Amino acid sequence: MQWKFCSQMQQYLLLPAILLSLSSCTPVQEDPALPENGMQTDVPAEGSGNEDPENGNQNEGGHENQDEESNENQDEDQNEDNMMENNTLKLTVNGETFTATLVDNSSTEALKEHLAKQGELEIRMDDYGNMEKVGSLGFSLPRNDRQTTTEPGDLILYQGNSFVIYYDTNSWNFTRLGKVDKVSTREQMLELLGGKGEITVTLSLE
């Protein structure tokens, strides 16, 4: 009887010790979102206003460059329009420049458009028939051919691709482009062209 009582008392005393031992063995879970030092680092959100100011300056500079290019293009277009409205053609031979007045037709419009976009045009010319100097344009223009009697100073388009400066008279079916200013005689035209022989004439609108 005494032995049973002692055995029950031992069971009551061991039970708290077992429970305490089990509680001390339970693992503690750590928060995986926290770094080792236990402090959470702040990550700036997109669009929070912390952008690099240099990038902003670069964007502003890009807009300025686009504006400058747009203004330059507008100026170029305006210059081309002004040249297209001008009916004065400049011819330069041996460093001497003289002018001609162009007629109004699709041939001269196409010539002015070419000069406005491509710039001045050099043409090698030589005498033909003791009445003209002729050379290839290197491209074709629209033709407005009709029976024409030339005079000294006349500028003629022949077969759509040859540029002719007359210093004497001729009658043929071709396109009139214009006439050299202040020229009425063979001698005046030949003097501007440097006499007989091969020359290079430069055409321009400015």
Side-chain angles (χ1 to χ4, degrees), residues 1-12:
M1 187 72 181
Q2 186 176 0
W3 179 82
K4 288 183 180 180
F5 177 78
C6 291
S7 176
Q8 290 177 353
M9 288 297 294
Q10 288 177 353
Q11 290 178 0
Y12 290 138

Side-chain angles (χ1 to χ4, degrees), residues 2 9 14 19-20 25 27 53 59 70 155-156 158 183 191 196 202:
Q2 186 176 0
M9 288 297 294
L14 288 175
L19 292 176
L20 180 61
C25 294
N59 291 336
S70 176
L155 306 182
I156 297 295
Y158 178 64
V183 167
E191 183 179 357
K196 293 289 193 68
T202 302

Side-chain angles (χ1 to χ4, degrees), residues 114-129:
H114 180 89
L115 294 175
K117 292 183 177 181
Q118 304 297 328
E120 62 184 25
L121 173 66
E122 291 187 353
I123 306 173
R124 294 182 62 182
M125 308 184 72
D126 209 345
D127 297 282
Y128 177 78

Side-chain angles (χ1 to χ4, degrees), residues 13 30 63 68 71-72 92 116 151 163 181 191 194-196:
L13 292 176
E30 296 183 357
H63 290 305
E68 290 176 0
N71 292 335
E72 290 176 358
T92 303
E151 298 177 353
F163 183 74
D181 298 328
E191 183 179 357
K196 293 289 193 68

Side-chain angles (χ1 to χ4, degrees), residues 91 93 121-139 150 154-168 170 172 174-175 177 189-190 193 195-203:
L91 302 92
V93 178
L121 173 66
E122 291 187 353
I123 306 173
R124 294 182 62 182
M125 308 184 72
D126 209 345
D127 297 282
Y128 177 78
N130 196 33
M131 59 185 174
E132 68 186 46
K133 287 188 185 291
V134 58
S136 174
L137 286 169
F139 55 92
T150 66
D154 280 347
L155 306 182
I156 297 295
L157 175 68
Y158 178 64
Q159 292 187 343
N161 56 16
S162 292
F163 183 74
V164 187
I165 303 176
Y166 272 90
Y167 50 81
D168 215 319
N170 185 30
W172 198 258
F174 36 41
T175 299
L177 296 176
M189 192 66 253
L190 278 174
L193 296 174
K196 293 289 193 68
E198 183 179 300
I199 63 170
T200 297
V201 60
T202 302
L203 308 183

Side-chain angles (χ1 to χ4, degrees), residues 14-113:
L14 288 175
L15 181 60
I18 292 172
L19 292 176
L20 180 61
S21 175
L22 290 175
S23 63
S24 63
C25 294
T26 303
V28 178
Q29 295 183 348
E30 296 183 357
D31 187 354
L34 297 178
E36 293 181 356
N37 56 10
M39 297 180 62
Q40 185 173 357
T41 56
D42 294 332
V43 179
E46 293 183 2
S48 60
N50 295 326
E51 292 85 354
D52 187 354
E54 294 182 359
N55 292 335
N57 294 336
Q58 290 176 358
N59 291 336
E60 293 177 1
H63 290 305
E64 292 176 358
N65 291 338
Q66 291 177 357
D67 293 340
E68 290 176 0
E69 291 177 359
S70 176
N71 292 335
E72 290 176 358
N73 292 336
Q74 291 178 358
D75 292 341
E76 290 177 0
D77 292 340
Q78 184 63 46
N79 290 336
E80 289 183 9
D81 291 341
N82 292 338
M83 287 188 287
M84 289 292 294
E85 294 174 358
N86 185 11
N87 283 329
T88 298
L89 178 68
K90 292 185 178 180
L91 302 92
T92 303
V93 178
N94 298 327
E96 299 294 328
T97 299
F98 52 95
T99 62
T101 300
L102 299 174
V103 300
D104 187 13
N105 59 32
S106 60
S107 307
T108 57
E109 288 299 309
L111 176 61
K112 289 190 295 183
E113 182 178 359

